[in-house]
Amino acid sequence: MNLHIFQNQQELNEAGAGIITSLVQMQPKAVLGLATGGTPVGIYEELVKAYQKGRVSFKQVTTFNLDEYVGLAEDHSESYHAYMQQHLFAHIDLPAESAHIPNGNAPDLEAECERFNQLLDDAKQIDLQILGLGHNGHIGFNEPDDSLISGTHRVELKDETREANARYFDSIEDVPTHALTMGVGTILKAKTILLIVRGADKAEIVHRALTGPITTEVPATLLQTHPHLVVLLDAEAGRLFE
């Protein structure tokens, strides 16, 4: 595990974007696993800046998003399709057909999961997977459970996850109850995992995830088994490591 703690958000953002930019410069056909939420926004902003300065091109890159809500229209402001357009895709040269996000409105969600798994199989392996961390230790939308599913699947969101995401919606009632998510098995197959965690409210869970017993009740603890895990923390999230 390669762990870095940053004293300010800009340094963290630049470090995260630098890792991604360097990979794409060396491997123009890189396969990237992308995350959403508040955590990676600043990193995506730095990637856009790097592209605008001519330092990197995404023309040959392939991307896979971790997850998408079930039942939100793609153009809904809080869908992850809309998020990716707003924060990254609309501002770089990634071809639309190279960006893959699960379709939470598919008429047959099981078939959609199979379709997404096939695309991942065709891509062989994700070169770099970006991850955030849920307050309950979830990665993607893989929630704590007695066992975890390896491939893409439909998941019922825990109350604490919906409550954490309610800040993006008008009310808790508007937060979807289900999502499609890439499975833990697929995440762990990535060559490199880039875990990014910010905020004092994540300090205890990230410490537990990276130093505690490995258990499916805290899915992020499984990251301890990965051979190339890079962790970027702000000072507040990293306070228990210092």
Side-chain angles (χ1 to χ4, degrees):
M1 181 174 65
N2 197 343
L3 188 147
H4 305 272
I5 299 173
F6 297 88
Q7 294 308 307
N8 68 68
Q9 299 295 336
Q10 185 59 25
E11 287 180 3
L12 191 161
N13 293 337
E14 290 175 358
I19 291 168
I20 299 162
T21 299
S22 297
L23 171 65
V24 176
Q25 288 168 340
M26 290 186 294
Q27 293 178 236
K29 294 184 179 180
V31 180
L32 303 178
L34 303 180
T36 52
T39 301
V41 169
I43 290 171
Y44 293 153
E45 288 176 356
E46 293 302 315
L47 288 180
V48 171
K49 290 178 188 176
Y51 165 72
Q52 291 172 340
K53 292 175 180 175
R55 289 174 40 218
V56 65
S57 170
F58 298 89
K59 274 186 179 174
Q60 299 181 76
V61 167
T62 302
T63 68
F64 290 92
N65 265 72
L66 280 167
D67 41 34
E68 177 59 287
Y69 289 118
V70 168
L72 281 193
E74 287 186 7
D75 61 356
H76 187 286
S77 61
E78 297 308 325
S79 79
Y80 292 152
H81 282 76
Y83 172 105
M84 292 308 306
Q85 286 297 324
Q86 177 186 349
H87 294 293
L88 187 62
F89 294 162
H91 312 290
I92 60 174
D93 59 346
L94 178 76
E97 63 272 16
S98 299
H100 305 292
I101 305 176
N103 178 7
N105 289 292
D108 184 335
L109 293 176
E110 206 165 296
E112 172 61 12
C113 291
E114 291 175 8
R115 183 192 72 84
F116 202 72
N117 283 330
Q118 186 60 57
L119 288 171
L120 286 160
D121 287 345
D122 293 345
K124 305 300 183 191
Q125 189 177 25
I126 291 172
D127 292 300
L128 177 70
Q129 176 65 61
I130 302 169
L131 288 181
L133 178 66
H135 289 90
N136 61 4
H138 73 233
I139 48 177
F141 271 133
N142 293 281
E143 299 278 32
D145 208 338
D146 293 337
S147 62
L148 297 173
I149 297 171
S150 176
T152 307
H153 60 284
R154 178 176 177 266
V155 61
E156 183 174 0
L157 302 177
K158 299 280 189 183
D159 289 343
E160 57 262 37
T161 298
R162 295 182 66 236
E163 287 164 9
N165 289 355
R167 66 188 187 275
Y168 300 116
F169 293 81
D170 291 337
S171 71
I172 184 71
E173 287 76 23
D174 294 325
V175 182
T177 57
H178 292 77
L180 302 184
T181 186
M182 194 185 292
V184 172
T186 303
I187 292 169
L188 293 176
K189 277 171 56 180
K191 289 180 186 174
T192 299
I193 292 176
L194 180 60
L195 176 67
I196 305 153
V197 188
R198 309 178 195 258
D201 58 329
K202 298 283 182 74
E204 290 188 15
I205 190 61
V206 72
H207 189 263
R208 185 178 174 192
L210 299 178
T211 66
I214 296 173
T215 168
T216 59
E217 293 296 337
V218 183
T221 58
L222 293 164
L223 297 175
Q224 295 178 41
T225 68
H226 197 274
H228 195 194
L229 173 65
V230 180
V231 182
L232 307 183
L233 308 178
D234 68 8
E236 290 184 328
R239 63 183 170 82
L240 297 179
F241 290 95
E242 296 176 323

